[in-house]
């Protein structure tokens, strides 16, 4: 009897939030191979085979991919691993977006330069490797400026400088989060309304699906640039949705984008100019694809796996969200031992749909400085746009994280 060959998919990253991609690939009948440099990642218990290899080590991942003779590769919800996927896929002639294009999207310095060169609205920005270089040129910028590592994700290492005396400390802080030891300084973009979050998907270069959201932040938090929520749908008129869509499409045309998933961070100014702050060549973290499935019925995890394996994605169409949905990142202002998470009873009963917690009472938790220090994620639903925006902007009214 002939043994049927199982197609193999290599998944980069085995955090809790990446497990849905591993599970879905297995459900589709693929042999799942996982790479992650953390020996205690939970994803390894869901995959068929595990390699303790860093997802940013392109050559090491390529060796695994070639040894296993894979049929597709995915970096689900991972910015740092996106270039590795394109690199390996190009070498092995597997489905992918162009490596050079993914590198532009994954490096904040290259991305800002590309936008400026192609007449997109983008803040004045420069990349530096030393604080001395930055201090010599700080006068060319109009304060305030944002300082961030060119290659970090999850808002790690990001801060705002309103006084030149803060430059040295905040530059060094950003540098500490950069693998390539480069930092970008850019002028602050004043936004009109909410920052735009959400995910999208291209098929043969066309942005066939996107679902925009409102980004919410804890202004009193340790890092006010880490989103605590994305709420769907985005509360601007359809004309602005269409304008943002057109700018993303123009970018993708220039980058010769093919088929795949993307995560968005976009700002609109008072004149309705579109600023593409960041476009990640991967699905959003914090269970954004799961929230989008509740809102639209579209399963972006499925399409991501399909795209990686060269399957047909042509049935994907733009579906507008129904109802009001969000994720909420449960977080602590302080580091310490988690004593209790107190949630209002009516919220527990009416608004929380799913809960994914990383910690339990008695565990050590960390102040919310980046997406990696989140205590857990709630998927939530609401009766109206007003209720949703009020609850996400004023979460202290219904949830308290008690740390001692």
């Amino acid at each position: 009897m002939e043994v049927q060959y199982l197609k193999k998919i290599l998944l980069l990253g085995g955090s809790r939030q990446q497990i849905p991609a591993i599970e879905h690939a297995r459900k589709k009948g693929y042999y799942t191979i996982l790479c992650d440099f953390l020996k205690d990642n939970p994803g390894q218990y869901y995959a068929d085979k595990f390699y303790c290899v860093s997802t940013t080590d392109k050559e090491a991942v390529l060796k695994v991919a070639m040894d296993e003779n894979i049929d597709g590769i995915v970096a689900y919800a991972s910015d740092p691993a996106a270039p590795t996927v394109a690199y390996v896929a190009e070498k092995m002639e597997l489905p992918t977006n162009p490596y050079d294009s993914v590198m532009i999207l994954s490096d904040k310095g290259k991305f800002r330069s590309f936008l400026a060169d192609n007449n997109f609205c983008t803040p004045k920005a420069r990349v530096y490797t030393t604080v001395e270089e930055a201090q010599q040129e700080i006068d060319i910028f109009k304060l305030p400026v944002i300082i961030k590592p060119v290659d970090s994700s999850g808002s790690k290492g990001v801060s705002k400088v309103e006084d030149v005396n803060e430059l040295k400390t905040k530059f060094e802080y950003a540098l500490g989060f950069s693998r390539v030891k480069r930092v970008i300084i850019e002028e602050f973009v004043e936004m009109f309304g909410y920052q735009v979050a959400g995910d999208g998907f291209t098929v043969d270069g066309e942005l066939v699906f996107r679902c925009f959201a409102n980004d919410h932040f804890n202004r009193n938090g340790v890092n006010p640039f880490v989103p605590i929520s994305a709420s769907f749908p985005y509360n601007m008129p359809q004309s602005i949705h269409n304008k943002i869509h057109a700018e993303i499409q123009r970018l993708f045309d220039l980058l010769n984008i093919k088929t795949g998933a993307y995560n968005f961070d976009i700002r609109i100014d008072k004149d309705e100019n579109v600023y593409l702050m960041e476009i990640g060549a991967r699905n959003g973290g914090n269970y954004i694809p799961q929230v989008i499935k509740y809102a639209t019925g579209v399963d972006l995890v499925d399409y991501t796996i399909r795209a990686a394996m060269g399957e047909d994605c042509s049935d994907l169409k733009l579906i507008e969200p129904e109802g009001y949905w969000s994720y909420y990142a449960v977080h602590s202002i302080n580091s310490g031992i988690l004593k209790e998470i107190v949630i209002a009873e009516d919220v527990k009963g009416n608004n929380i749909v799913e809960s994914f917690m990383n910690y339990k009472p008695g565990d050590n938790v960390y102040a919310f400085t980046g997406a990696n220090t989140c205590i857990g994620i709630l998927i939530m639903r609401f009766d109206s746009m007003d209720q949703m925006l009020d609850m996400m902007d004023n979460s202290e009214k219904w949830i308290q994280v008690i740390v001692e």
Side-chain angles (χ1 to χ4, degrees), residues 9-13 21 72-77 81 85 283 304-305 307-309:
I9 184 166
L10 178 57
L11 299 114
L12 303 188
I73 180 169
V74 169
Y76 178 77
V85 165
N283 304 82
T304 299
I305 301 297
M309 300 303 281

Side-chain angles (χ1 to χ4, degrees), residues 138 141-147 159-167 170 188 190 224-225:
I138 193 65
F141 296 101
K142 183 177 147 202
L143 295 178
V145 293
I146 297 292
I147 297 190
S159 55
K160 189 177 183 181
V161 171
E162 306 198 48
D163 181 325
V164 289
N165 293 320
E166 304 170 326
L167 179 64
K170 292 186 174 179
F188 185 70
E190 291 290 351
F225 302 105

Side-chain angles (χ1 to χ4, degrees), residues 151-287:
D151 57 341
S152 83
S153 58
S155 307
K156 296 187 286 289
V158 180
S159 55
K160 189 177 183 181
V161 171
E162 306 198 48
D163 181 325
V164 289
N165 293 320
E166 304 170 326
L167 179 64
K168 186 173 190 296
T169 305
K170 292 186 174 179
F171 186 97
E172 287 169 352
Y173 174 67
L175 200 63
F177 286 92
S178 175
R179 292 181 307 280
V180 296
K181 297 301 170 195
R182 284 187 288 122
V183 167
I184 187 167
I185 297 179
E186 62 185 36
E187 290 183 351
F188 185 70
V189 177
E190 291 290 351
M191 60 184 167
F192 175 64
Y194 289 96
Q195 180 166 297
V196 189
D199 277 15
F201 202 95
T202 55
V203 177
D204 296 329
E206 185 187 350
L207 183 62
V208 294
F209 179 87
R210 43 79 178 160
C211 196
F212 297 139
N214 314 287
D215 245 341
H216 303 265
F217 302 87
N218 184 341
R219 300 292 174 201
N220 302 314
V222 203
N223 182 347
F225 302 105
V226 196
I228 59 166
S229 169
S231 64
F232 297 80
Y234 177 48
N235 73 333
M236 285 291 185
Q238 193 60 46
S239 59
I240 292 185
H241 286 246
N242 295 342
K243 195 171 183 181
I244 296 169
H245 186 118
E247 279 296 84
I248 297 169
Q249 185 64 63
R250 182 163 82 88
L251 173 72
F252 286 169
D253 289 345
L254 288 164
L255 289 172
N256 194 26
I257 287 298
K258 307 294 187 195
T259 299
Y262 312 89
N263 177 247
F264 307 130
D265 285 305
I266 296 163
R267 290 191 169 195
I268 304 294
D269 69 12
K270 64 184 188 326
D271 300 317
E272 296 184 5
N273 292 310
V274 178
Y275 287 78
L276 304 177
M277 304 306 291
E278 292 189 28
I279 309 281
R282 45 88 185 178
N283 304 82
N286 294 337
Y287 297 92

Side-chain angles (χ1 to χ4, degrees), residues 104 108-126 247 250-251 254-255:
I104 288 168
K108 293 171 178 58
K110 289 178 180 174
F111 187 50
R112 286 282 171 270
S113 297
F114 187 86
L115 293 174
D117 291 346
N118 289 283
N119 300 314
F120 287 87
C121 289
T122 193
K124 179 187 280 187
R126 290 272 178 93
E247 279 296 84
R250 182 163 82 88
L251 173 72
L254 288 164
L255 289 172

